[in-house]
Amino acid sequence: MNFPVFDLHCDTALALLGEDLQQAGSLRKNEYHIDLERAKTLPAYAQCFACFTSPLEQLPDGVTVSEMFEREMVSVLREVEKNKDLISLAYSAAEVEKNREKGKMSAILTIEGPAGFGFDPALLEDLYKIGFRITTLGWNESNVLCGSHKTGGGLTEQGREYVFEAQRLGMLVDVSHISDEAFWDIMDITRGPVIASHSNSRSVCNVSRNLTDEMFKAICQTGGVAGLNLYTKFLGENATVDTVCDHAIHWLELGGEKNISLGGDLDGCDTLPAGFSGVQDYPKLAERLLARGISEETVMDIFWNNAMGVLKNAVCNYP
């Protein structure tokens, strides 16, 4: 059965720029994990396109981190405009639904690592106006906002300000990549849904990038979601599509029917589970979930409804 796909995270924006960060690929058709020609085989498709920056990233000579961020953003906007017969930028869940009704795919801008604008919460409002709707607080580095899953370290005062400002605007706070300490610091202050756009279950695959059961339950309590990551490093040894199902089923056992989404990390990982090579293979995951006893209603929630719901609820809860 073919379900609509709402994927909370990919790195296709960077992939399209190529190694020299010049425009090297087309979103319509390419050899990466995602292109529109393959996505057309899905009944509907909404993709969050991350603009990734980190102080750890080695850049070509003469390119700054801020320039990298701008080029990624422009790359997505340019490709959406060039392919407007197939895809449109979406600023809200309502616009995603309107695009679906018109037979169009949706592109949503997100931030993976705020290094590209100096970790400055004051700039979030301008980015929100451009169309950014999700933000992490970092990547694998410790920064002025918080520590990472690799470094440890909690939320700083500037990090608290960043969370407050993002949620005031209605931008979803994404806890993928951050430290356990920073995760719980955010949970102490959040006034809206929190997501982990591309993180799996640590109980199923014990790596620091994944969520403990307690973390997943805390995300559920905020009304947030966790997006299933397809990178084999975060799935387990000899990963297959069934391994992805293992993570989903574990979360379902924790009561997460309305809190699991897709966050494939496509074009951001070099190895995918056996039998999965790109966006066109999401129906294989749906088929295996159904074969393992998950209802059509729950698969529809995982593939579409839960992400739509959290985007809809990313509203200002501040006075």
Side-chain angles (χ1 to χ4, degrees):
M1 189 171 181
N2 208 357
F3 290 84
V5 169
F6 194 138
D7 187 313
L8 290 169
H9 184 85
C10 76
D11 286 295
T12 309
L14 181 58
L16 290 172
L17 291 179
E19 292 184 3
D20 59 357
L21 298 188
Q22 303 296 327
Q23 190 72 23
S26 165
L27 185 59
R28 195 176 195 96
K29 189 173 183 178
N30 59 56
E31 296 180 352
Y32 307 125
H33 293 152
I34 292 174
D35 69 29
L36 301 181
E37 292 290 337
R38 283 174 285 162
K40 279 197 306 181
T41 62
L42 305 169
Y45 180 49
Q47 180 63 60
C48 293
F49 288 91
C51 293
F52 160 74
T53 53
S54 167
L56 300 180
E57 184 71 3
Q58 291 192 344
L59 300 176
D61 290 343
V63 178
T64 65
V65 175
S66 61
E67 288 171 338
M68 176 183 176
F69 180 78
E70 183 176 355
R71 291 184 193 187
E72 289 180 81
M73 175 182 66
V74 170
S75 173
V76 175
L77 296 176
R78 181 192 295 121
E79 287 300 306
V80 168
E81 177 62 25
K82 283 170 59 177
N83 296 285
K84 58 186 177 183
D85 59 320
L86 296 177
I87 191 167
S88 293
L89 195 67
Y91 297 85
S92 66
E95 289 190 0
V96 172
E97 193 54 49
K98 285 180 182 178
N99 287 340
R100 183 185 180 186
E101 291 170 0
K102 295 175 183 176
K104 280 193 173 186
M105 299 175 247
S106 291
I108 300 155
L109 291 171
T110 74
I111 298 161
E112 183 177 29
F117 51 96
F119 305 96
D120 188 351
L123 297 179
L124 284 173
E125 186 164 3
D126 288 338
L127 293 169
Y128 184 86
K129 290 176 181 177
I130 291 170
F132 287 89
R133 291 297 180 266
I134 297 173
T135 181
T136 69
L137 274 71
W139 188 56
N140 292 336
E141 80 285 350
S142 179
N143 60 49
V144 295
L145 302 179
C146 67
S148 77
H149 73 105
K150 288 192 171 184
T151 66
L155 200 63
T156 67
E157 188 55 41
Q158 187 170 329
R160 290 170 59 87
E161 183 183 349
Y162 192 96
V163 170
F164 290 147
E165 180 63 3
Q167 292 189 327
R168 182 188 72 80
L169 293 165
M171 190 181 293
L172 287 164
V173 172
D174 181 355
V175 295
S176 289
H177 284 285
I178 67 172
S179 67
D180 291 7
E181 300 98 315
F183 174 94
W184 291 112
D185 288 344
I186 288 173
M187 290 299 158
D188 284 342
I189 64 171
T190 184
R191 298 190 188 181
V194 171
I195 72 168
S197 66
H198 56 304
S199 298
N200 293 329
S201 166
R202 202 178 295 182
S203 289
V204 178
C205 179
N206 187 20
V207 296
S208 60
R209 266 284 284 110
N210 288 340
L211 302 167
T212 67
D213 289 355
E214 291 73 21
M215 288 175 173
F216 178 72
K217 290 176 184 177
I219 287 172
C220 294
Q221 289 172 0
T222 72
V225 298
L228 293 163
N229 191 320
L230 296 172
Y231 187 19
T232 56
K233 186 175 179 180
F234 308 143
L235 287 170
E237 292 185 9
N238 303 313
T240 66
V241 175
D242 263 309
T243 313
V244 186
C245 295
D246 292 340
H247 288 264
I249 289 169
H250 180 73
W251 281 340
L252 289 172
E253 290 170 348
L254 297 177
E257 290 87 354
K258 302 298 182 183
N259 309 99
I260 308 169
S261 295
L262 304 174
D265 209 0
L266 296 177
D267 290 318
C269 51
D270 51 15
T271 54
L272 294 171
F276 200 109
S277 62
V279 65
Q280 73 283 357
D281 289 327
Y282 267 122
K284 294 181 180 179
L285 175 58
E287 289 168 7
R288 289 308 304 154
L289 287 168
L290 292 169
R292 293 184 61 175
I294 308 306
S295 70
E296 289 185 13
E297 179 183 2
T298 299
V299 175
M300 183 65 181
D301 286 343
I302 293 170
F303 269 61
W304 187 264
N305 292 336
N306 292 344
M308 283 287 284
V310 78
L311 184 62
K312 192 179 299 182
N313 292 328
V315 294
C316 175
N317 290 312
Y318 289 82

